[in-house]
Amino acid sequence: MIVGREPERERLRGLVHGTRRGHSGALVLRGPGGIGRTALLDDLAHDVPPDVRVLRATGVESEAELPWAGLHQVLRPLLPGLHRLPEPQAVALRAAFGLGPDAVDPFLLSLGALSLLSDAGADSPAALLVDDAQWLDPASAGVLVFIARRLETEGLAMVFAARDGARPFTAPDLPETVLRPLPPDDAETLLDRTAPGAVRGVRRRILREAEGSPLALHALPAALTDAQLGGGSPLPDHLPLEPRLRQIHLDRTAEVAERHGTVLLLAALQDDGDLTAILGAAGDRDAATAALYAAAAAGLIDLDQQRVRFRHPLVRSALYQAAPLGERHAAHRALARILDADDDRRVWHLAASTVGRDDTVAGLLANCGTRSRHAGRPVTAGHALRRAALFTTSSRARARWLVDAAACAWETAEPAQALSLLDEAEPLAHEPAARARAAQVHGLMTLVSGNPAHAFRTLLDGARLVLHDDPPLAEEMLLAAARAAWAANRPRELARTALLLERTGRAPTGRAPDRLRTLLRRLAGPVSPGTPRATVPAPVTDGSADRTASPRYAAVGTPSWTPWPPDFLPHFTGGTESALEALREAVATLRRSGATGALPLTVLPLVSLQLVTGQWTAAAAHAREALPAADESGQFTAGAQLRAVLAWTAAVRGEGDECRALADEALAAAAPRGSAVTLALVHWALGLNALAEGNAAGATRLLREVTTPGAPAEHVAIGRLALPDLVEAHARAGETGEARAALERFERCAAPAEVPVLRTAWLRCRALLADDGTAVPDDADALFGAALDATAPSAFEAGRTHLLHGEWLRRARRVKAARDHLHQALHLFRGAGAAPWAEMASQELRAAGEQIGQPARGHTDTRTGLTPRETQIVRLAAEGKSNSDIAQQLFLSPRTVGHHLYKVFPKLGITSRHQLRALRLDTPQTPAADLA
């Protein structure tokens, strides 16, 4: 079934269906080889009404010089009707087809062919479809065009499909349709059918090189192995072309290649099109320049003073594959000779011209890979390291480079290839360092794709292999193991990991005060008898630099992704701002380098901090950006947690159905993999959603799953964050005893009096239960005041305190004071986008005697109506980035970025790009239109 081409198909159908009303017409379909002309003719033939007769013919190159060969193919089914034609016309046709001795009269022949086709249309409408019309012999082509220009009411449709190329099909005055490459969406749809199992990186490569050619989108996947399509084996430098596809592209080059084949081969092998390198390798610069000008004139290349670019990337592959092996090697050696010794391109050409193992070339490739890793080019690094492993004679070096290549493959979202490389390295990895590195990559892949507890064991065992011999590597692995223990809710393992970190001699001592160390010991939980209690490394809280306040960078990839810190930990330890800054920079670096495989691992701690600091729009945008990378690279555990984040943001915004749908998807992936952090986050989200919907009893049930020791969704950190919500849910349900018990557990296990970010919620909960009938009641008003004086971690938290204080004051009949707090709550909730809580504040204000409507237009939050993707684009545009810069950073096309901005301007009430600079999308705003 054909994909796309609706305008062309509609035009062809209209032409054929018109024959049923006595109309006639002709059309020429033009386009390059493989563009889909034949497919359109086949589709048309299959779709014609049953009462329309279909006549088909195809031009054949070997018959292109035989007069009347094409016409005979067209008219042969109609020759039995010759006797109905005027005798002069019948004689001319018989003479042309060797059925009579007379000379051929071209004019009578043309009239006879027209009459024969018209006569056929008298019985029933007819459609004549001629493929490869460029190969019709000139005599036949002239007659058929003659007929097409004289059609009137014969009930005949004529369609000619002609390939662009050296031999033209001339059809003056006939209407034409030029077939263009398939649009990106249609190309992807077609590739879904031809290569349903292809992984994302392979799909990108095929789509890029096919450039919308339907034939290429069929043929390129067919020439690859299942392992290559599935990502387990790397793709070759030049994709293999099946004979027909290769010949189509060689035909384009035939005339120029016959005289200048060597220069074209050099251009095909120099991937970056460096004109200086191509001319230098050619030797005779003047002759090579003339050859390139000839290729440009023939439409094969685009040429400027610095670069050569082939108009179609498959021409490069066709030239490469058509050249004998000796010529390829000679061309690579010529290019290597003229490049500088420190130029990485020289290394690639040397490798391409080398047969067999060569340790010198292997070393050069490995050095190239190392440089690329440090420069943030993981794709190039992985390619170089794989090639180095192929060339070396040392099994030790091969094991090391295969593992490093696997790390790069994982980082660039090629998990199948990473596993294949690790499987290849495992029998060679005899040394502890090699085994540890392999365990590191396996552990990180398991952390984001499988069971975090399994990841922890893999990483811990690997770290022990190099604990004394390679402390930096051990530290990297132990930090990753700590992240895994945190995700699996294994506080005892977290404590033991901290002990091992101290043994490396590299664990940060930290300058956190004792109260924070006490908190972290509580988070880690008790360890077995006789084991010294350890603290998880914690940052300082005075704003000075501390190594654990920022993400930890690991050498397994480029220094841009991190397994540290665990989600939410900096929120407890006072390092939120520094962690946010470092994580944002790490995510930006990953985007720039294209390291999409490592993106989810670094985005998760970023979005967790954005949730608790009220940056919900940014959190949702980052989560939605990383989610496709997680899904497409099989990072099911990370993908589940990203969905949990989105469920949480949906809950607080009042999008209940969206929250529940995302929660179901997250639970389906997280539960069988034992991702405790995801289970807890999902239940917290559902609990908040129930609270937002006024279902206090449902909220208590869900939140107890997170906060109760031993419960299915318990998590040591998220449970502490959710306990204040449980207190409020119990209180709203009238369960004061349960609320008091939840508050006591919060005070006992989280020490909220000593942790600034928990202090607001703690005081608010105490105020909420101040008049619960206890013997010595607290002063609720004073406690609410203290809660408001404390620094709230977000506007949402501050709003909740104002709301509860206002409710309490209204019940105490202090209506004027209640209104003040409720107005504050309403303002904060609207600014945060917390629609359900804004409605609660509105209801309380109405109960206090005020009429509350929707916010005035002049004070709406600038985020209203923006999707997370639109918000992300607006942020980057406000920073002054161009559409191309934004597209590269977000893996979109510049056109898509422009489309989003076009839709966003009316939503924001602005008319120009420079007005975006006035916007801040995480705080309540004055409209940008007022600031312009």
Side-chain angles (χ1 to χ4, degrees):
M1 181 179 177
I2 201 166
V3 172
R5 303 293 194 205
E6 285 307 318
E8 294 87 351
R9 296 173 72 193
E10 187 61 32
R11 187 173 185 184
L12 289 168
R13 281 195 293 264
L15 183 66
V16 171
H17 282 258
T19 63
R20 306 173 73 192
R21 300 187 298 274
H23 301 313
S24 298
L27 181 67
V28 180
L29 289 176
R30 296 193 184 276
I35 202 64
R37 302 179 318 278
T38 301
L40 276 173
L41 291 184
D42 291 343
D43 177 73
L44 180 62
H46 182 268
D47 196 42
V48 296
D51 59 336
V52 177
R53 182 178 185 180
V54 177
L55 303 171
R56 297 201 66 168
T58 301
V60 181
E61 185 176 2
S62 61
E63 298 179 1
E65 304 305 325
L66 297 177
W68 316 118
L71 188 63
H72 181 265
Q73 189 184 163
V74 170
L75 299 181
R76 184 173 59 180
L78 307 179
L79 290 179
L82 273 176
H83 66 278
R84 293 199 293 268
L85 300 185
E87 186 59 23
Q89 296 178 16
V91 168
L93 285 170
R94 290 192 185 97
F97 299 152
L99 302 176
D102 303 277
V104 177
D105 183 321
F107 181 69
L108 289 174
L109 174 67
S110 299
L111 289 178
L114 175 59
S115 299
L116 196 59
L117 286 166
S118 299
D119 187 61
D123 299 329
S124 65
L128 172 59
L129 312 180
V130 181
D131 200 4
D132 279 339
Q134 75 279 356
W135 296 124
L136 291 172
D137 60 277
S140 297
V143 170
L144 292 173
V145 172
F146 173 91
I147 294 169
R149 286 160 48 191
R150 285 162 176 78
L151 293 175
E152 293 184 1
T153 59
E154 295 82 0
L156 174 65
M158 299 179 70
V159 181
F160 302 93
R163 184 200 301 177
D164 297 339
R167 183 184 177 95
F169 172 67
T170 304
D173 302 327
L174 293 187
E176 294 186 349
T177 289
V178 178
L179 297 182
R180 307 294 181 188
L182 289 176
D185 288 348
D186 289 340
E188 291 205 35
T189 300
L190 180 55
L191 188 58
D192 287 340
R193 297 179 182 179
T194 60
V199 297
R200 184 173 65 165
V202 175
R203 288 174 58 85
R204 283 202 307 262
R205 174 83 180 275
I206 293 173
L207 289 168
R208 183 174 67 248
E209 300 212 11
E211 280 199 344
S213 163
L215 176 61
L217 290 166
H218 278 90
L220 291 176
L224 299 174
T225 67
D226 289 343
Q228 288 171 326
L229 288 170
S233 296
L235 297 179
D237 292 341
H238 297 272
L239 293 182
L241 309 183
E242 53 88 34
R244 181 184 171 204
L245 185 59
R246 181 169 65 246
Q247 193 57 49
I248 284 173
H249 291 287
L250 285 176
D251 286 344
R252 298 181 179 184
T253 70
E255 185 176 343
V256 178
E258 185 176 351
R259 290 175 289 133
H260 308 296
T262 299
V263 177
L264 285 180
L265 180 59
L266 288 169
L269 297 184
Q270 188 61 31
D271 291 353
D272 60 2
D274 184 347
L275 180 59
T276 301
I278 295 167
L279 295 178
D284 188 337
R285 297 177 64 90
D286 291 338
T289 301
L292 293 174
Y293 276 124
L300 294 176
I301 63 172
D302 290 321
L303 182 65
D304 59 30
Q305 292 182 329
Q306 295 179 322
R307 301 285 170 201
V308 175
R309 188 183 70 83
F310 282 90
R311 291 280 182 89
H312 198 291
L314 292 183
V315 173
R316 294 180 60 246
S317 295
L319 286 167
Y320 174 83
Q321 291 167 33
L325 184 61
E327 290 184 15
R328 291 186 216 165
H329 286 177
H332 278 299
R333 286 193 295 270
L335 287 163
R337 280 195 299 270
I338 57 90
L339 293 169
D340 294 338
D342 59 352
D343 192 326
D344 285 345
R345 297 175 300 171
R346 174 177 174 272
V347 177
W348 292 109
H349 287 300
L350 284 174
S353 65
T354 300
V355 178
R357 298 194 185 277
D358 188 313
D359 285 319
T360 300
V361 172
L364 291 171
L365 284 165
N367 290 338
C368 175
T370 300
R371 287 193 296 273
S372 297
R373 291 172 76 183
H374 288 304
R377 300 193 303 272
V379 174
T380 303
H383 191 184
L385 291 162
R386 285 196 306 269
R387 297 291 296 274
L390 288 174
F391 278 106
T392 184
T393 61
S394 165
S395 60
R396 176 183 176 185
R398 188 177 305 124
R400 181 172 71 254
W401 292 335
L402 286 171
V403 171
D404 288 347
C408 292
W410 172 77
E411 188 176 343
T412 54
E414 297 174 303
Q417 192 170 134
L419 288 173
S420 176
L421 290 164
L422 288 172
D423 289 344
E424 188 178 349
E426 189 173 21
L428 307 171
H430 303 300
E431 296 186 340
R435 289 159 54 202
R437 284 193 175 90
Q440 184 181 28
V441 181
H442 264 302
L444 288 169
M445 292 180 68
T446 305
L447 174 59
V448 294
S449 305
N451 189 309
H454 297 166
F456 169 78
R457 286 193 290 272
T458 299
L459 290 161
L460 190 66
D461 290 345
R464 284 174 170 149
L465 291 172
V466 291
L467 198 60
H468 303 294
D469 296 335
D470 193 345
L473 177 58
E475 181 192 19
E476 293 166 14
M477 298 185 69
L478 289 170
L479 288 172
R483 172 85 175 263
W486 183 274
N489 194 41
R490 299 293 181 90
R492 297 188 181 187
E493 281 83 352
L494 188 61
R496 293 192 177 97
T497 305
L499 281 175
L500 286 174
L501 270 169
E502 292 176 1
R503 291 181 192 173
T504 66
R506 297 175 60 84
T509 59
R511 296 183 299 279
D514 290 340
R515 58 189 176 83
L516 280 178
R517 291 188 177 278
T518 301
L519 164 69
L520 292 170
R521 282 198 295 271
R522 286 173 174 163
L523 286 177
V527 295
S528 58
T531 303
R533 184 174 291 277
T535 60
V536 179
V540 297
T541 57
D542 59 4
S544 60
D546 183 273
R547 293 176 60 191
T548 56
S550 301
R552 306 306 301 267
Y553 298 146
V556 68
T558 60
S560 55
W561 61 269
T562 172
W564 191 264
D567 315 303
F568 300 106
L569 178 59
H571 187 63
F572 292 100
T573 60
T576 302
E577 287 305 316
S578 56
L580 278 170
E581 181 181 354
L583 286 163
R584 288 191 197 101
E585 178 56 34
V587 168
T589 303
L590 290 173
R591 291 197 199 105
R592 289 193 297 269
S593 67
T596 55
L599 193 63
L601 186 68
T602 305
V603 161
L604 283 170
L606 172 62
V607 295
S608 69
L609 294 178
Q610 289 173 327
L611 289 186
V612 292
T613 54
Q615 301 173 51
W616 301 340
T617 301
H622 279 122
R624 291 197 181 279
E625 175 193 0
L627 192 54
D631 289 347
E632 292 167 11
S633 59
Q635 298 187 35
F636 306 113
T637 307
Q641 191 174 341
L642 290 167
R643 286 178 170 85
V645 168
L646 293 170
W648 197 98
T649 61
V652 292
R653 286 172 166 168
E655 299 162 356
D657 290 342
E658 177 77 358
C659 171
R660 284 182 283 270
L662 287 162
D664 287 345
E665 293 175 11
L667 288 173
R673 294 177 173 83
S675 177
V677 70
T678 301
L679 296 176
L681 191 53
V682 167
H683 281 77
W684 187 18
L686 291 171
L688 282 171
N689 188 63
L691 202 58
E693 293 177 343
N695 181 7
T700 60
R701 176 180 56 81
L702 289 159
L703 293 170
R704 278 198 301 266
E705 294 291 297
V706 186
T707 58
T708 304
E714 180 204 7
H715 190 273
V716 292
I718 296 176
R720 277 111 179 115
L721 294 172
L723 271 168
D725 298 325
L726 179 61
V727 173
E728 182 177 334
H730 277 306
R732 289 188 180 279
E735 301 166 348
T736 54
E738 290 86 346
R740 172 65 65 182
L743 175 59
E744 290 173 353
R745 189 160 71 250
F746 182 45
E747 292 173 333
R748 183 174 63 255
C749 68
E754 302 172 3
V755 182
V757 294
L758 299 178
R759 187 173 178 81
T760 295
W762 169 61
L763 292 169
R764 181 174 72 234
C765 289
R766 285 188 61 195
L768 189 61
L769 298 176
D771 54 357
D772 64 351
T774 55
V776 185
D778 290 326
D779 185 340
D781 203 16
L783 285 168
F784 275 123
L788 291 170
D789 289 339
T791 302
S794 68
F796 178 57
E797 283 295 304
R800 292 177 73 177
T801 303
H802 279 292
L803 174 61
L804 290 173
H805 196 185
E807 290 177 347
W808 182 85
L809 288 167
R810 188 182 67 79
R811 289 194 301 270
R813 302 184 182 278
R814 294 166 60 184
V815 177
K816 183 179 184 304
R819 288 174 179 170
D820 291 340
H821 284 286
L822 293 171
H823 275 296
Q824 286 286 341
L826 181 61
H827 173 72
L828 290 168
F829 290 144
R830 283 178 171 173
W837 278 267
E839 179 57 27
M840 292 180 202
S842 297
Q843 290 175 1
E844 283 294 317
L845 279 167
R846 284 191 284 270
E850 288 206 10
Q851 294 298 317
I852 301 297
Q854 294 300 313
R857 187 181 184 279
H859 296 284
T860 54
D861 177 36
T862 57
R863 295 170 303 168
T864 301
L866 296 193
T867 67
R869 174 64 78 198
E870 288 170 344
T871 300
Q872 198 166 34
I873 289 172
V874 166
R875 288 176 181 282
L876 295 172
E879 294 172 6
K881 289 183 168 61
S882 68
N883 286 6
S884 296
D885 293 337
I886 298 170
Q888 181 178 358
Q889 186 161 328
L890 300 183
F891 310 112
L892 301 171
S893 70
R895 180 177 295 180
T896 299
V897 172
H899 176 67
H900 278 298
L901 287 173
Y902 176 79
K903 293 192 302 179
V904 158
F905 280 14
K907 294 181 181 181
L908 299 179
I910 62 176
T911 57
S912 64
R913 197 180 185 105
H914 80 271
Q915 292 174 285
L916 293 172
R917 297 177 183 273
L919 301 178
R920 292 183 60 196
L921 298 182
D922 276 317
T923 56
Q925 295 297 312
T926 302
D930 297 340
L931 301 173

